[in-house]
Amino acid sequence: MKFGRMLFFAAAMLMIGSSCKKSEQIPSLDHSLQFSETYCNDPWSNDIQRTDPDFLKKLDAWLEAKTGITIPEPQLKFHPGNAGTCSACTCKTGNVLTIWLPKGVDAKFTALGFK
């Protein structure tokens, strides 16, 4: 009887664990880089419109094409303290992109302006 309960518990845990989607898993924050978005002076500005509804997916593909490195989809968050007071191309929008990387590939992304 005890074995049956343990088997049921193990099966339940396997089903719960396998039902998690990759997109719901949050990458470890121990190795990330950030980029402060500008109005139109980002390396991808000629290829991707920042107002595109699929911006993050397209940016993910763009970064992979430029660096050859697959990363989880970037996250974009607004930080009011990071916003500029102008709307020129080089002014910051207040949006900060965060990407998570495998160790040892920072140089390819810092060359694009990530810090």
Side-chain angles (χ1 to χ4, degrees), residues 3-113:
F3 179 75
R5 285 184 187 171
M6 288 189 338
L7 185 60
F8 175 76
F9 180 74
M13 292 308 292
L14 280 173
M15 288 186 346
I16 290 170
S18 65
S19 67
C20 293
K21 294 180 182 174
K22 184 179 178 184
S23 63
E24 293 174 349
Q25 296 173 351
I26 298 172
S28 171
L29 299 179
D30 62 349
H31 194 67
S32 63
L33 292 177
Q34 295 184 327
F35 185 93
S36 295
E37 181 187 54
T38 65
Y39 281 100
C40 56
N41 199 33
D42 302 331
W44 48 83
S45 293
N46 291 332
D47 302 317
I48 308 167
Q49 295 294 320
R50 65 183 193 85
T51 56
D52 188 316
D54 292 326
F55 172 74
L56 291 176
K57 288 180 183 179
K58 290 180 179 180
L59 177 62
D60 189 30
W62 188 92
L63 289 170
E64 185 174 346
K66 293 293 181 188
T67 64
I69 298 166
T70 302
I71 59 170
E73 188 173 305
Q75 289 185 355
L76 183 65
K77 290 190 179 180
F78 181 71
H79 296 270
N82 199 38
T85 56
C86 63
S87 58
C89 258
T90 56
C91 291
K92 295 181 180 179
T93 64
N95 291 329
V96 176
L97 286 158
T98 303
I99 58 172
W100 288 267
L101 305 172
K103 293 193 185 262
V105 298
D106 293 24
K108 292 184 177 188
F109 292 91
T110 55
L112 294 172

